[in-house]
Amino acid sequence: MTDRDAVSRRAVLQTVAGAGLASVAGCSAFEGGSDDAASTVEGERAEELARRFAPTLYFDQAEPWFPTDPRPYTSEQDGETVVDGFDAFDGYHERMTDGEPPDPTAFYNVVEYERSPLAVVQFWFYSAFDQFTTNFHWHDWEVLHVFVDTGTGDPQLYVASSHSRKVPNNEFLDPDPEMVPRILSELGSHSSALSVNDARDRFTRLPEGDRFADITNSAVETIEDLAEIPVAYGLPRDEGSRLPYLVPEYEGAPLYEHERLPSVSREDLISESLTIRSFDSLTQPPTDLPTRETGLVFQHTDRGEADPDIEYDLVPSSELEHIADFTGPQLSFEFAVPQFAEDVVSGHITTTGAPWNQSRYENPAADISEPNHRAALAERYDAIGAPAEIRTVVASLSEAVSNDDAPEDEGLTTEDTAVESVALLESDPEAVPTFAGLAVVQDVPEGDHRFTVNGAGVAPHSETVSVHDSESADGPTRAGVDGELPLVARENATRLEVDPSGADSDLTDLAVEDDFAGRLYDAPLSEPDAVYVHGGGAYTTEVRDSDDEIGAFRVNPDPEAETAATIDEPRTGKASLASFLADIAEETRQAVADQVDDDDGTENGNSGSGGSENAIQGLERSLAAVVEAAKRATERAEAGDRGNADKQLQAVADRLQRVATRIEDANDDLSDPLSNAARRRLDQAERRTEQAQAADKL
């Protein structure tokens, strides 16, 4: 059974709402309190530590780019030694012979903190290229940090690099001193998952029987008997997730067609079985993408413990420090952003640069992304500062699908998505992949951000999230509705547009609810906005203004329509809410009338009998009475007649009570989907009636 089968992400994210900041992984700063300075360890001592902890690496069977030595691809540029992306990419494949990767190499750097027995062995792995899902770039550096106590000789912490410093690393506290570190390298991106238990070539996020998990990152707290999900990237394709890759392009053409890459062909990139042309080239999420299978195993030449496929050399990274930079033209990715006028954000991906120019090269503690791990080291070693809190955005992705309990094309439910997506904060265009359907973005500046999610075969989702100072915030900022963010397959998606410029007040918030799935969208609103919704839903769109007045609008998109459903004059107050009540009551009345018209006198055995006919007709008449009173309330409110508007709203409330009775009377004679819908719409109408009665604004 996979983690996806065992854990409900929705329940997990609902619990985030009540979780304190310290209980959620990834909510500490990468650099918390002040760390002592560290100095480089050289010579035999450094080499001895490197040999002892040199990891074994397990690669995907489809992996094209293995750890290699960049020095054969250096050149001089403006008086400096650089590695050009074209040279490394083409040269690597030119030197690949019979599937044997050239120059298998790991580079090590060892530092120790002053006046402390804590040292860190860093293993840096260079790949000539990175191909992922909207994340591909020239050059790729990955790192494993091994924090070790030089007094006892015991390792204290493993930190394996994830996709970026916006995504929690894969970390393990207090590993077995006798165990050789193992890395499971992600296909194409080379993100490093840890393997520390008996399942050598598989990533285990949660304990399984007697087997412990491969990471000790803390989890988003759960309720009752739900398991915990440690917040770290992990290895999604090894956990049952589908993950589509994109083909990198440069200047509008596939990269492998470039004239400076004569040794590179389409076959040298990620297999076509795993790639798609673009996210929007599919009408629904792919279901046939293969999951991970182990390919080549790399081991240090002196390890001699098993029979590896490839033996790699260990080289001090100091031998590379004459290289000033790793260069290459920018490669871009695009995110469609659903706004009133469809927009596209282009983000450019560049290399991370030379490791020796990064702060974590001199201070590896800067790369600890788990607060409990930094706190543990800080307690043991004065050289390590305590964790500090930072701001984090988190969301659980789901997919909106038709609900069998609802009338056709009039109700939804949500289910876990089996395909991973990519999230982007437009204010900081560094795309992050999801894991186990979770999007986690760390180290987010305070303020408003546009949070956008794109995925293969789904319509893009974008919303504004307001991120506040973590010291006063109750846990991480949750995108979506209480942390759940439903996506819609493109084949089912339709746009819902709201233009606040035509409003009669200053609108601040927009929400969308489906009769069956509940609230699906809830975000700030300050400018024309658009939301992709499922064409088979029945929606209540809510707006709120700066005076906390509410407006509501009924939206039933045509699943076959090519045009967007548009609310171009969103109002708030009694008139808006009363008009909504008339619409939803009439919609339900018409559905009941349609069943009477379609009734052939045989359904349920007695639907043609006088009693059942009277019950359904009584329900229809009660709904018609609600429509009449709601329309009068709308007219009175629009005319500025508060007293009579409120009288009519009270009449609506009274008549809704009769509707509730009539629904029960007609329950045996209504179809189950219509009975379900009538009850849900009644709840919606009662809530909106109370809001209309309480509204100060007419």
Side-chain angles (χ1 to χ4, degrees), residues 340-403:
F340 201 73
E342 197 85 352
D343 194 7
V344 172
V345 172
S346 293
H348 294 285
I349 303 176
T350 59
T351 69
T352 56
W356 37 97
N357 295 331
Q358 301 173 28
S359 61
R360 57 181 176 171
Y361 189 73
E362 296 180 350
N363 178 23
D367 221 18
I368 301 174
S369 61
E370 163 57 49
N372 293 338
H373 294 163
R374 175 177 269 274
L377 291 190
E379 183 176 353
R380 300 173 191 178
Y381 305 100
D382 293 339
I384 304 301
E389 296 175 344
I390 63 169
R391 292 162 290 272
T392 299
V393 175
V394 60
S396 173
L397 306 188
S398 60
E399 183 180 354
V401 297
S402 296
N403 192 330

Side-chain angles (χ1 to χ4, degrees), residues 499-570:
D499 187 355
S501 62
D504 58 356
S505 59
D506 181 19
L507 299 185
T508 59
D509 295 275
L510 169 66
V512 180
E513 298 180 4
D514 173 74
D515 287 350
F516 284 75
R519 189 159 289 209
L520 300 174
Y521 184 87
D522 193 350
L525 175 69
S526 60
E527 57 186 21
D529 200 0
V531 182
Y532 277 105
V533 296
H534 194 293
Y539 301 102
T540 298
T541 301
E542 176 188 287
V543 293
R544 191 179 295 265
D545 64 23
S546 55
D547 294 323
D548 209 28
E549 294 285 354
I550 296 171
F553 309 87
R554 192 64 175 165
V555 178
N556 293 89
D558 181 354
E560 305 299 326
E562 296 182 1
T563 59
T566 303
I567 301 173
D568 52 11
E569 293 184 359

Side-chain angles (χ1 to χ4, degrees), residues 651-685:
V652 169
D654 295 339
R655 293 174 184 183
L656 285 173
Q657 293 301 311
R658 286 198 288 274
V659 168
T661 300
R662 298 300 188 195
I663 290 175
E664 295 305 318
D665 292 342
N667 182 62
D668 292 339
D669 304 293
L670 293 173
S671 68
D672 288 342
L674 180 54
S675 178
N676 295 335
R679 286 183 170 85
R680 284 165 171 77
R681 292 172 190 169
L682 175 63
D683 291 342
Q684 182 78 244

